[in-house]
């Protein structure tokens, strides 16, 4: 369905046209009538499917420009998502009198407060900074009509859950609540009942790990071969932009120092950087000025980098859904993308679970360790034959 076929005011429709949004994506088409009707919603849709605009368009439409108060509240787990989300709302609302604004940790509070005092209709926020303002009575949510939790499963996890409960407890009056996510584990799903009133549930994801436009490559090797293998991979592949994910900040730092020797426009991002640096790297990467980004999972969720052709898991992702979120940074809006994951012996139990649960069809660069464990007899025989022909395998590495 086209945006021109739904009842959008011309100041939004014209803007969408300028943005090149003509056809609604499936999540937009399904959720638009539900959100417009004021119903609560729990929507699970593939990453990169147009979830932000699915929320932002009806949200802008709902706002009353004559009421100088926060009427729309969007809570997101990371600062970068906050910037991205508010950016999309700003574009959609550009020809309207609606003012969207974002508040997030690491940014100057006084500047944020000045803007808030001036009047904001839609507030996008990370939980910590929002709570800060709420505790100090510097903002009121008494006029909120619609509250949105983006990347809801992350926000309902231990660590964020108490914050979210507190934020929602500040909106005592009747309002609409929308939860959006790319993944929703069963244990978290139960918690959504506490936030929602008679909700509609929409799921547009298959059991697959990431958008179907992504090819999933894996390499089983000893950790000491990772560096050589990564450099070889990046040199051989036709990389437009790549994000290389590590499981810890110090690993990001170490890998950055190493990779920098072989590639020029490499940068890194993790929560240990100051906010100014984080924002600058995020923006440069979005604009395509950086080609290689080494990142912790701070860049793993929801961020829309439309030129990312490859995602590399330097470390095997911890937790089942992390693979989905990380690899979802490539293959946005149906574009082709490749995921390449290093697997060491230590990762094998998690690998097996990932492949089964997410129904991935893995392509192995070198040997498939699962095949070996499934067919021990056959493999043993092959292995003993290979001993005399060490170069028979394409990537002949000894696993950990
Ligand atoms: P999201 O899933 O919200 O991160 O969106 C993924 C990408 O799709 C973003 O680059 C959006 O600008 C783009 N997008 C969202 N909706 C549409 C649409 N209806 N037509 C074309 N592009 C879209």
């Amino acid at each position: 369905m086209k945006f021109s076929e739904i009842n959008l005011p011309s100041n939004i429709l014209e803007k969408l046209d300028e943005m090149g949004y003509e056809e609604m994506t499936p999540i937009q088409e399904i959720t638009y009538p539900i959100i417009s009707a004021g119903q609560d919603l729990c929507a699970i849709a593939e990453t990169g499917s147009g979830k932000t605009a699915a929320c932002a368009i009806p949200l802008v439409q709902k706002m009353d420009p004559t009421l100088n108060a926060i009427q729309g509240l969007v809570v997101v787990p990371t600062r970068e998502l906050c910037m991205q989300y508010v950016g999309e709302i700003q574009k959609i609302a550009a020809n309207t009198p609606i003012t969207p604004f974002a508040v997030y940790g690491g940014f100057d509070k006084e500047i944020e407060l000045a803007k808030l005092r001036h009047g904001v209709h839609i507030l996008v926020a990370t939980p910590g900074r929002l709570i800060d303002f709420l505790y100090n009575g510097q903002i009121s949510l008494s006029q909120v009509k619609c509250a949105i939790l983006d990347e809801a499963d992350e926000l309902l996890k231990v660590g964020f859950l108490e914050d979210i409960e507190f934020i929602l407890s500040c909106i005592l009056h009747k309002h609409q609540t929308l939860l959006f996510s790319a993944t929703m584990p069963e244990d978290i799903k139960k918690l959504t009942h506490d936030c929602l009133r008679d909700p509609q549930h929409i799921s547009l994801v298959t059991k697959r790990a990431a958008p179907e436009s992504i090819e999933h490559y894996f390499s089983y090797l000893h950790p000491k071969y990772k560096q050589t293998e990564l450099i070889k991979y990046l040199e051989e592949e036709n990389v437009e932009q790549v994000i290389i994910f590590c499981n810890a900040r110090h690993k990001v730092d170490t890998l950055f120092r190493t990779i920098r020797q072989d590639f020029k426009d490499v940068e890194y991002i993790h929560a240990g950087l100051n906010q100014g640096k984080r924002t600058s790297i995020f923006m440069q990467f979005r604009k395509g000025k950086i080609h290689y980004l080494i990142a912790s999972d701070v860049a793993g969720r929801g961020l829309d980098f439309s030129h990312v052709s490859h995602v590399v898991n330097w470390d095997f992702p911890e937790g089942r859904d992390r693979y989905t979120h990380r690899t979802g940074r490539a293959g946005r809006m149906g574009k082709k993308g490749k995921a390449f994951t290093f697997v060491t012996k230590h990762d094998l139990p998690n690998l097996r679970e990932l492949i089964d649960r997410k129904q991935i069809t893995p392509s192995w660069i070198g040997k498939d360790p699962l095949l070996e464990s499934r067919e021990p007899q056959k493999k043993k025989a092959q292995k003993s034959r290979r001993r005399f022909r060490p170069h028979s395998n394409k990537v002949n590495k000894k696993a950990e």
Side-chain angles (χ1 to χ4, degrees), residues 26-168:
I27 188 74
Q28 291 164 356
E29 198 171 324
I30 294 177
T31 58
Y32 183 78
I34 300 170
I35 303 176
S36 301
Q39 273 191 285
D40 280 9
L41 172 71
C42 177
I44 306 169
E46 271 185 352
T47 181
S49 58
K51 280 186 289 164
T52 321
C55 258
I57 296 167
L59 186 65
V60 170
Q61 227 185 326
K62 275 172 191 287
M63 299 296 102
D64 174 0
T66 63
L67 178 64
N68 191 359
I70 297 166
Q71 300 165 52
L73 174 71
V74 184
V75 185
V76 297
T78 68
R79 299 164 183 185
E80 285 73 17
L81 262 178
C82 208
M83 288 185 259
Q84 180 177 296
Y85 212 109
V86 81
E88 182 86 345
I89 304 179
Q90 272 160 352
K91 278 194 241 158
I92 292 166
N95 296 342
T96 74
I98 306 303
T99 310
F101 186 59
V103 295
Y104 47 86
F107 194 75
D108 192 311
K109 271 196 216 169
E110 289 309 314
I111 298 176
E112 289 183 344
L113 274 174
K115 179 74 181 175
L116 287 167
R117 281 190 209 109
H118 199 254
V120 166
H121 297 110
I122 301 174
L123 184 69
V124 186
T126 51
R129 180 54 59 96
L130 178 59
I131 286 177
D132 211 344
F133 287 138
L134 286 169
Y135 267 140
N136 293 314
Q138 288 156 320
I139 58 173
S140 159
L141 302 181
S142 64
Q143 298 293 328
V144 168
K145 293 179 192 169
C146 182
I148 297 162
L149 302 186
D150 190 47
E151 301 295 330
D153 59 328
E154 181 70 7
L155 291 173
L156 295 175
K157 273 188 195 151
V158 183
F160 270 134
L161 183 60
E162 266 188 30
D163 292 353
I164 298 302
E165 283 172 343
F166 174 75
I167 293 164
L168 295 180

Side-chain angles (χ1 to χ4, degrees), residues 3 20-25 28 47-53 84 88 302 304 332-333:
F3 283 109
Y21 294 10
E22 192 187 334
E23 287 285 338
M24 299 174 91
T25 66
Q28 291 164 356
T47 181
S49 58
K51 280 186 289 164
T52 321
Q84 180 177 296
E88 182 86 345
D304 177 37
R332 311 285 292 171
M333 291 297 284

